[in-house]
């Protein structure tokens, strides 16, 4: 079996039902398989594919990186990059942009310890924190996350956001799509439709989750 071939049951489980903002279905499926081999214990991984997990040190090395440039040099990222759908026909400038976005995705997604397919980041951050009546991430920090100006700020704030939810309970695919959309907008590709912009998507998910337990006070 080659590096990218899956057992029949794994091929079925890798199908991605989530909404895809700025990544393609083939990319989403490759990312999920990569994260599973990078993160899951061998016994758990068997439920998804016949391939073995990668050595634990690969994930640890990637998580120690602070920049996209450093992430690009890791073995863990090389595994991901080579599993993504081929882009040899793309112009070099577009390929370079894609490389930057996916190295950023790898930096953040590697923080997740457990995944919850279908759960967007904004909704997870807006969920109630231990019956306190307050969201897992405060509105102030959430606003700061939404106004990240540089890739370094984005990575730092997303890592902090994941720590607030114990680095679990978020869809790998949703998280990657959010980061890819941030990069698209950062590089000038802002959608003319407000509902397809990252700020709206995050806010809609966050405040939608908070509305489930909050009550207005006079």
């Amino acid at each position: 079996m080659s590096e990218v071939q899956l057992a029949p049951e794994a091929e079925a489980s890798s199908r991605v039902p989530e909404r895809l903002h700025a990544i393609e279905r083939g990319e989403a499926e490759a990312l999920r398989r990569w994260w599973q081999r990078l993160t899951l214990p061998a016994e758990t991984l068997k439920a998804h594919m016949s391939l073995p997990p990668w050595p634990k040190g690969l994930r640890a090395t990637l998580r120690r990186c602070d920049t996209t440039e450093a992430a690009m040099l890791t073995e863990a990222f090389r595994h991901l990059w080579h599993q993504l759908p081929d882009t040899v026909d793309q112009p070099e400038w577009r390929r370079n942009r894609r490389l930057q976005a996916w190295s950023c995705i790898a930096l953040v997604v590697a923080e997740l310890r457990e995944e919850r397919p279908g759960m967007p980041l904004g909704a997870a951050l807006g969920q109630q924190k231990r019956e306190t009546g307050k969201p897992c991430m405060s509105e102030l920090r959430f606003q700061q996350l939404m106004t990240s100006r540089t890739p370094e700020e984005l990575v730092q704030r997303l890592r902090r956001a994941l720590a607030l939810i114990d680095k679990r309970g978020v869809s790998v695919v949703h998280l990657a799509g959010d980061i890819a959309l941030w990069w698209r907008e950062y590089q000038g590709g802002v959608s003319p439709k407000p509902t397809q912009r990252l700020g709206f998507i995050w806010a809609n998910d966050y405040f939608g989750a908070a509305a489930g337990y909050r009550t207005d006070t006079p």
Side-chain angles (χ1 to χ4, degrees):
M1 180 176 290
S2 72
E3 184 71 13
V4 296
Q5 288 178 319
L6 301 176
E9 69 276 9
E11 185 175 359
S13 68
S14 71
R15 299 305 180 199
V16 179
E18 290 108 336
R19 66 191 187 200
L20 302 176
H21 298 310
I23 61 175
E24 299 177 357
R25 188 166 301 278
E27 293 174 328
E29 292 173 356
L31 172 71
R32 178 163 281 152
R33 292 193 298 266
W34 172 82
W35 176 84
Q36 289 169 341
R37 293 189 68 188
L38 189 71
T39 308
L40 300 181
E43 288 302 312
T44 306
L45 186 63
K46 287 179 181 179
H48 302 281
M49 65 184 73
S50 300
L51 296 173
W54 283 308
K56 293 182 179 179
L58 269 65
R59 178 171 177 258
T61 299
L62 180 58
R63 292 181 63 216
R64 285 196 294 268
C65 296
D66 293 324
T67 66
T68 57
E69 290 78 9
M72 291 177 195
L73 302 179
T74 65
E75 183 178 352
F77 177 72
R78 289 197 296 273
H79 282 309
L80 173 60
W81 185 247
H82 290 309
Q83 289 188 27
L84 293 172
D86 197 5
T87 58
V88 292
D89 295 332
Q90 287 186 346
E92 185 177 1
W93 67 268
R94 186 180 294 277
R95 197 163 184 268
N96 287 335
R97 284 188 173 187
R98 187 171 185 252
L99 182 62
Q100 288 178 303
W102 277 98
S103 59
C104 187
I105 288 170
L107 274 176
V108 177
V109 167
E111 293 293 317
L112 274 179
R113 294 185 291 200
E114 293 180 10
E115 187 198 16
R116 182 178 173 184
M119 174 59 74
L121 175 65
L125 297 176
Q127 288 181 331
Q128 184 175 192
K129 180 180 180 180
R130 295 191 295 272
E131 306 301 323
T132 61
K134 298 180 180 180
C136 292
M137 173 177 266
S138 69
E139 288 188 26
L140 176 60
R141 286 195 174 183
F142 183 68
Q143 293 290 342
Q144 291 173 341
L145 173 62
M146 290 199 298
T147 56
S148 298
R149 302 297 183 190
T150 66
E152 291 75 20
E153 277 188 357
L154 180 70
V155 169
Q156 183 183 62
R157 289 172 179 175
L158 282 174
R159 283 174 162 175
R160 289 175 179 171
L162 292 176
L164 292 174
I165 52 176
D166 199 26
K167 301 182 180 181
R168 65 186 76 225
V170 174
S171 163
V172 165
V173 171
H174 275 299
L175 185 56
D178 289 346
I179 297 168
L181 184 54
W182 183 92
W183 270 94
R184 180 183 292 176
E185 294 178 357
Y186 176 69
Q187 294 166 337
V190 179
S191 173
K193 299 179 180 179
T195 57
Q196 295 181 9
R197 298 172 190 167
L198 183 58
F200 176 87
I201 293 168
W202 269 353
N204 191 55
D205 290 338
Y206 177 88
F207 291 107
Y213 58 85
R214 280 184 169 178
T215 56
D216 292 333
T217 57

